[in-house]
Amino acid sequence: MLPERRMQECLSKSSFSKSLSPGQHWKSKSMRIIPEEFLRSTHESFEHRVVFSVPWNNSWQLWLRPDKKGLFMIKEDWDEFADDNFLGPDDTLVFTHQDTMYFQVHIFKKDGKEIISAPLEVEPQKETTSASASGNTIQIETAIGRTATRGRKSCANLQNPERYLLNPQNPYFAKTLKKTNHLLHVGLPVIRQYGLEFGPHDSSMYFILPDGNKVDGLTKYYNGLPSFLGWADVCQQYNLKIGDTVVCEFELSGRVVAAVRVHFVNE
């Protein structure tokens, strides 16, 4: 698809865009506002926060604060988003509304080409054997059935993640927790590498925890890609921290993902 057509396709949905005018920079206050016309058109109440996701499955939670000029993302959160994505002066951002507080963010360069993988300067939530994903960390069961001690090793430094798997033949990916971990996203490279399939929107799945307990989840689709709701409950229950790394092992029913077994990574 031509770059210009791709951008127009994104803009044709429930969305808004941001680009710099002369004298602005990405950390200008004007860049942090949620456009009033967008708020009117969506009829949604974004009173507290929004969640931005990008095609390589990183996500950010940004808290909102109203003032007399409109509804603004707080500076600390917006600045982190801008820094993490190394936004340039000629970039155009398209924010496509997915569901309630969730947005898919498309970043287009000056030539109109969309960025679909993490910029080189960004340390993506790499999957050490296949691809990247976004999310959180947890204490977990190792391949011999013991509970591992949670560490803070990043995916970039993770060696031989296969050793954490209960079944070495199972598909998996490693992920480092970021600021926002409401959903467990599954990256397109992982899906393609393993030929994974997923249940319908809102179909049941579950997370298998280190102690053998299970947390119920739901399969969701945002911008055509699968994610698992219920991840936030896992993170809260196990007090997962930003920077922790987990290995997510897929349990399949045929080719369809039925469960995610979560393994903590040792330091």
Side-chain angles (χ1 to χ4, degrees), residues 18 28 37 44 68 91 112 118 127 145 161 204 208-209 254 257 265:
K18 290 184 179 291
S28 299
E37 58 272 22
E44 292 281 357
K68 60 184 180 181
D91 291 351
E127 341 201 29
S204 297
I208 304 174
L209 304 182
V257 175
V265 173

Side-chain angles (χ1 to χ4, degrees), residues 46-107:
F46 303 105
E47 294 181 355
H48 303 296
R49 63 187 177 182
V50 291
V51 176
F52 292 161
S53 298
V54 289
W56 51 95
N57 292 324
N58 286 5
S59 60
W60 294 260
Q61 175 178 267
L62 295 88
W63 291 92
L64 303 176
R65 181 175 299 152
D67 69 17
K68 60 184 180 181
K69 294 185 178 180
L71 185 62
F72 289 83
M73 295 167 274
I74 69 170
K75 178 175 173 57
E76 178 187 2
D77 292 347
W78 173 256
D79 288 355
E80 179 184 38
F81 173 78
D83 288 342
D84 285 353
N85 289 288
F86 290 86
L87 299 181
D90 297 314
D91 291 351
T92 297
L93 275 58
V94 177
F95 301 81
T96 303
H97 184 222
Q98 300 288 323
D99 181 30
T100 57
M101 72 185 80
Y102 297 98
F103 290 79
Q104 184 77 16
V105 183
H106 306 273
I107 303 174

Side-chain angles (χ1 to χ4, degrees), residues 99-151:
D99 181 30
T100 57
M101 72 185 80
Y102 297 98
F103 290 79
Q104 184 77 16
V105 183
H106 306 273
I107 303 174
F108 295 90
K109 306 308 286 184
K110 185 177 181 178
D111 59 5
K113 291 184 179 179
E114 182 180 3
I115 302 301
I116 59 174
S117 59
L120 293 179
E121 298 89 342
V122 177
E123 180 178 317
Q125 296 154 17
K126 288 182 187 170
E127 341 201 29
T128 43
T129 246
S130 28
S132 345
S134 68
N136 267 342
T137 319
I138 208 170
Q139 275 191 357
I140 136 141
E141 193 177 307
T142 63
I144 55 175
R146 291 179 291 109
T147 299
T149 302
R150 188 179 55 185

Side-chain angles (χ1 to χ4, degrees), residues 20-265:
L20 298 182
S21 299
Q24 288 184 318
H25 54 82
W26 284 110
K27 296 184 181 180
S28 299
K29 184 177 180 180
S30 57
M31 290 292 102
R32 296 191 279 115
I33 193 170
I34 305 291
E36 184 179 351
E37 58 272 22
F38 171 79
L39 294 174
R40 288 198 303 265
S41 67
T42 58
H43 306 291
E44 292 281 357
S45 178
F46 303 105
E47 294 181 355
H48 303 296
R49 63 187 177 182
V50 291
V51 176
F52 292 161
S53 298
V54 289
W56 51 95
N57 292 324
N58 286 5
S59 60
W60 294 260
Q61 175 178 267
L62 295 88
W63 291 92
L64 303 176
R65 181 175 299 152
D67 69 17
K68 60 184 180 181
K69 294 185 178 180
L71 185 62
F72 289 83
M73 295 167 274
I74 69 170
K75 178 175 173 57
E76 178 187 2
D77 292 347
W78 173 256
D79 288 355
E80 179 184 38
F81 173 78
D83 288 342
D84 285 353
N85 289 288
F86 290 86
L87 299 181
D90 297 314
D91 291 351
T92 297
L93 275 58
V94 177
F95 301 81
T96 303
H97 184 222
Q98 300 288 323
D99 181 30
T100 57
M101 72 185 80
Y102 297 98
F103 290 79
Q104 184 77 16
V105 183
H106 306 273
I107 303 174
F108 295 90
K109 306 308 286 184
K110 185 177 181 178
D111 59 5
K113 291 184 179 179
E114 182 180 3
I115 302 301
I116 59 174
S117 59
L120 293 179
E121 298 89 342
V122 177
E123 180 178 317
Q125 296 154 17
K126 288 182 187 170
E127 341 201 29
T128 43
T129 246
S130 28
S132 345
S134 68
N136 267 342
T137 319
I138 208 170
Q139 275 191 357
I140 136 141
E141 193 177 307
T142 63
I144 55 175
R146 291 179 291 109
T147 299
T149 302
R150 188 179 55 185
R152 301 183 73 83
K153 182 188 293 294
S154 72
C155 289
N157 298 320
L158 179 59
Q159 301 295 321
N160 189 24
E162 293 88 350
R163 71 184 186 275
Y164 294 98
L165 302 179
L166 189 65
N167 179 352
Q169 302 304 312
N170 279 346
Y172 74 94
F173 67 91
K175 104 190 247 94
T176 297
L177 275 64
K178 300 288 283 185
K179 186 171 183 178
T180 303
N181 297 286
H182 297 286
L183 296 164
L184 179 64
H185 300 284
V186 183
L188 189 58
V190 181
I191 297 171
R192 288 175 172 170
Q193 175 170 347
Y194 295 112
L196 298 176
E197 298 178 8
F198 300 84
H201 189 72
D202 283 337
S203 59
S204 297
M205 53 78 63
Y206 56 92
F207 298 93
I208 304 174
L209 304 182
D211 52 11
N213 289 333
K214 298 177 181 178
V215 172
D216 291 334
L218 292 174
T219 302
K220 297 284 188 178
Y221 289 89
Y222 297 98
N223 205 35
L225 291 175
S227 301
F228 297 121
L229 189 65
W231 182 244
D233 295 333
V234 172
C235 296
Q236 182 177 14
Q237 182 174 337
Y238 283 80
N239 193 28
L240 303 179
K241 305 297 185 183
I242 295 171
D244 289 349
T245 294
V246 290
V247 173
C248 296
E249 177 181 356
F250 293 114
E251 298 287 350
L252 306 180
S253 176
R255 285 185 174 272
V256 177
V257 175
V260 176
R261 186 181 297 274
V262 186
H263 302 272
F264 279 133
V265 173

